[in-house]
């Protein structure tokens, strides 16, 4: 929903565009060619019921992919599950429980956490063990209390906080092992993975092989920040390898887009991303998989460059 | 004024704190121990006159360091002087002229531009020569039209746009040479310089030796983003070398702070920064300048580490 | 031993200094004030026996901290345990077994692997699952075959290869869990941790809490490469926090230095590092631990800046 | 010649391959499909005369693109023109003069400096003004003494030194202005430009518009180091934009490759790079330049993504 909603940053505090009502966003999403939506909860309209949202989604033939509790706004600016203040830690848990309920009403696939304030900013600022206990403890409590609900964390290296606990694929897998529940997995975002200094295809392969893959998002950036550019705008080869890996691991669910079109028309950004991804998917079909496998077994980078060039460049 | 005003980002769109009236900010600035303020124009209150602001500053015994036209908000989100739309380019010029007038009324030392939207986001997006002509042409027009006013650009590698024209000290010096006026210089921000992959002390030395130094700002970050942490929070050695260079070039004006205390009390952030800087200034007094000069002439890094350690670490 | 040996890079292929015999390096290490050495094996002198090296160490009252098989030179340039060539994978295992034997003869504390060639360079170059199986399988084989020997991996984000399998603290902990043996842990290098975009103190705390800490190394860099500068040259606050954490987790063993003094006198680089670290250790003694704990419990960054400033800055 | 010569780094000090005689490298370059060579001077064979090299080049129908004095090896490890030692500064000048002579004998297009040791490593290590005077003074002396010779600097952000004086396109243009001669320009290397946080196409456009473009090199990397991967391996869109800009500015000379195939066959690396570049050149021919110009005038990133996708992706 971020794609279509109002975008603000610390300089353009009057926004890059105008705010839009939730029901209108649902309509616009359908027109862009999407099949599902990630819904932030609570939505801005206080009197809008889950039932009404469900009806609007159904009317547009859209799936509620997930419900994402807003644990990163003003209230939780100094931490959600890991806040120094016990009452705010409890509020993060309560809002998560509420989101489970909403997700159930909407028939959403999972509840997504993006703990973008769970971390710290300065050296010496926190006791790391205690911070982890808080951050993982809150998540453990909610996940254990709702054993039939699938939960997922979307990891990101940093922003808004300078240091986040769910920073990389590996950090998140370590955290999940420490949480110790079965219904918690990960959302991998291609751009977050680049930003985390990972190769997204390798991270995707790892998360899947550990049985923790819940969802996949696409976008692009310059590797140094979560720029949320349109998919395929910069890293064509790595996006192709990412899609190749999606296929290789047998992933069948639709892939999500996570864009922040500050200055572009949101619908155009979504459409151009989809067209680029479709063209890349078509490239995949032309790969001689046997030749590729042979070159990969030999770690032969030059043979691989030839194979990729042949299918990718017009 | 950013330090004290409301802070918002793309996630906490409801703000990290509450908005404050301009006159209250002026009061709070004084209490923090500042001697001057950088004023963004237009200020939020439409009916507040420059005269009233001047009176408030005088009443608090504060200097108007500079007036900064807001050429980076919603209106100019796709560029100010470099916008593809000629009428917006003209609006950026008009707002700058208005800011000159306000600066004169407030007795400000200079008019500061921060062209944070003048650049681009995607490869192929712009014709670079045309973009430069627009961006530099607008600045040339205003500077030539107000030959008695001092202007300054605050450079930054990126953000909000992914690529900015006034990105580094050297890029800005090249731009200034191309603008070709005498009343345009630079504001160096310690954190922007780190973010631009510069050594701030070297950049300061260069800008000064080219006669283009107008003002100096301090803060800190992790070198990968403009985190606007408190001064001295991370880079003590480089902050010390920066202050040493300020002294070496004979700079006498007060130094500014450029902080974004998202989660901290603004007044505390300013006070802690000032205390740290004062302590570092005291360290400088203990340096044996003759020994340092000798070590520098020999490029003797190990002798220098000993000298710095002796004066800096307690 | 790298500190004292000959340093070469891809440009100065004639070396930054002259090569030195192993026995002379042992002598020089003692004179610099070190208490132990990390020995690369095989050493350059083919006829030098472990017995002779042991005698030299004893004569200098030096401990053999660890033996590090050279699995990153010309022979293993395309991978050691993960090489596409099975015979080279076996050679990496054989050299490791030999190093276990040498370590036993020298009475070394552990055998250290630095798998700096185990990874890849290009997108699509390898099958990630296969690469992991090779890389972890070889290590598992050696560790299982020598259950009484302690092994440790020194992780690093990259270099020489562009992508390494043992890249970060978290990646390494995931790898160790997958290897599934008890006698394999980690060496944390302060500079590698900075380069991996970690906060070294947090990474140290995590590795220790998972029971996988084997050794600690110090140095410094600009966060973007493994520059191997002298300890405390840049990141004083984070080095102090790292030493504080060493104390907090109750670590008693001597800390190692990992420097590459390309242009400096090696003995000076070691001495200056030690002096800086000793001064920082003394700062720690002055911290009011109760006040620090209280500020950390409140995540109060400004209170912490005051505490750190008071004990650290002269 | 680096592509074909022996590659060493600080770990694989025994080299990634075997050293090759200069005359053999010339032969191999021809076979890879190159039309010219960049020759490092002095070459390793002490008794090999320029006349013999010239004959070998002529025999292979190869052009001597430039002669590059080796001012970055052991001797000059602490600086060439900027060395603290006056006699080494003079040696850098003398070797440059000798290279001019060799360039004349070989009929080379220009003499190239790569001052990879002219800079510093630690804060406080040097007096920046003095360092600049030395570094620029030596270059000025040689350029003035040989007014008919074209000189060029190849800039790079860092490595081997942590801080270099010829770091970015803009820094180099400022330096050239300060040198104040007409026969000094720049070599832009695509990968160095990425590493310097530039957009290479924009940097190329700027250098050309300032009349300082002497030569162009291609390769690729991950933006964080000078990895010297094969051209087009990662950044296809930006390589395409770079080639588009080469055409736009009307550059007719052959483009060079600057690769470091540590683990690959050098001839394959060159051939794959050339094939990829040729395919990208063919994409350029299909761009509707009028539509592109219109989209660029409107800064319309989404229209541009459609245009680029259509010609680039198969």
């Amino acid at each position: 929903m971020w794609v279509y909603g109002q975008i603000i940053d610390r300089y353009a505090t009057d926004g890059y565009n105008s705010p839009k009502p939730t029901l209108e966003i649902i309509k616009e999403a359908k027109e862009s060619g999407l099949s599902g939506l990630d819904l932030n909860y609570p939505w801005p309209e206080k009197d809008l019921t889950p039932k009404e949202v469900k009806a609007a989604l159904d009317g547009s033939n859209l799936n509620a992919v997930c419900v994402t509790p807003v644990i990163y706004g003003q209230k939780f600016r100094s931490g959600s599950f890991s806040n120094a203040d016990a009452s705010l830690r409890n509020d993060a848990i309560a809002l998560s429980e509420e989101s489970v309920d909403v997700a159930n009403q909407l028939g959403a696939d999972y509840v997504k956490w993006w703990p973008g304030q769970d971390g710290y900013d300065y050296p010496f600022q926190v006791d790391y063990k205690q911070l982890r206990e808080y951050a993982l403890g809150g998540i453990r409590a909610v996940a254990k209390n709702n054993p039939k609900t699938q939960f997922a964390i979307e990891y990101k290296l940093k922003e808004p906080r300078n240091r986040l606990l769910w920073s990389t694929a590996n950090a998140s897998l370590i955290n999940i092992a420490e949480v110790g529940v079965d219904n918690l997995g990960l959302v991998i975002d291609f751009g977050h993975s680049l930003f985390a200094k990972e190769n997204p295809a390798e991270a995707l392969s790892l998360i899947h092989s550990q049985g923790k893959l819940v969802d996949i998002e696409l976008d692009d950036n310059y590797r140094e920040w979560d720029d949320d550019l349109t998919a395929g705008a910069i890293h064509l080869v790595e996006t192709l390898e990412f899609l190749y890996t999606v296929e290789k691991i047998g992933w069948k669910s639709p892939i999500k887009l996570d864009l922040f079109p500050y200055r572009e028309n949101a619908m155009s950004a979504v459409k151009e991303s989809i067209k680029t991804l479709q063209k890349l998917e078509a490239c995949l079909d032309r790969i001689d998989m046997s030749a590729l496998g042979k070159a990969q077994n030999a770690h032969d980078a030059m043979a691989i460059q030839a194979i990729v060039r042949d299918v990718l460049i017009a």
Side-chain angles (χ1 to χ4, degrees), chain A residues 39 45 74 98 115 142 151 155 186-187 204 261 292 311:
Chain A
L39 292 120
E45 304 89 346
Q74 182 178 86
E98 217 179 307
V142 179
F151 295 90
Y155 69 90
L186 293 177
V187 175
L204 173 62
L292 179 65
V311 300

Side-chain angles (χ1 to χ4, degrees), chain A residues 97-117:
Chain A
E97 290 285 356
E98 217 179 307
S99 300
V100 169
D101 184 48
V102 171
N104 286 338
Q105 291 187 57
L106 297 181
D109 299 336
Y110 61 96
V111 169
K112 184 171 84 175
W113 281 304
W114 179 60
Q117 306 284 11

Side-chain angles (χ1 to χ4, degrees), chain A residues 143-162:
Chain A
K144 283 204 163 173
N145 199 38
N146 299 278
K148 291 184 182 161
T149 302
Q150 175 69 51
F151 295 90
I153 306 264
E154 182 165 346
Y155 69 90
K156 190 163 100 166
L157 186 63
K158 57 179 174 176
E159 194 215 9
R161 291 212 95 142
N162 292 102

Side-chain angles (χ1 to χ4, degrees), chain A residues 57-71:
Chain A
L57 289 168
D58 287 348
S60 291
N61 209 19
L62 279 171
N63 179 31
V65 178
C66 61
V67 172
T68 301
V70 181
I71 55 171

Side-chain angles (χ1 to χ4, degrees), chain A residues 187-205:
Chain A
V187 175
I188 182 170
D189 175 283
F190 180 85
H192 291 189
S193 185
L194 284 179
F195 180 26
K197 308 301 170 194
E198 302 167 0
N199 175 353
E202 184 185 7
L204 173 62
S205 165

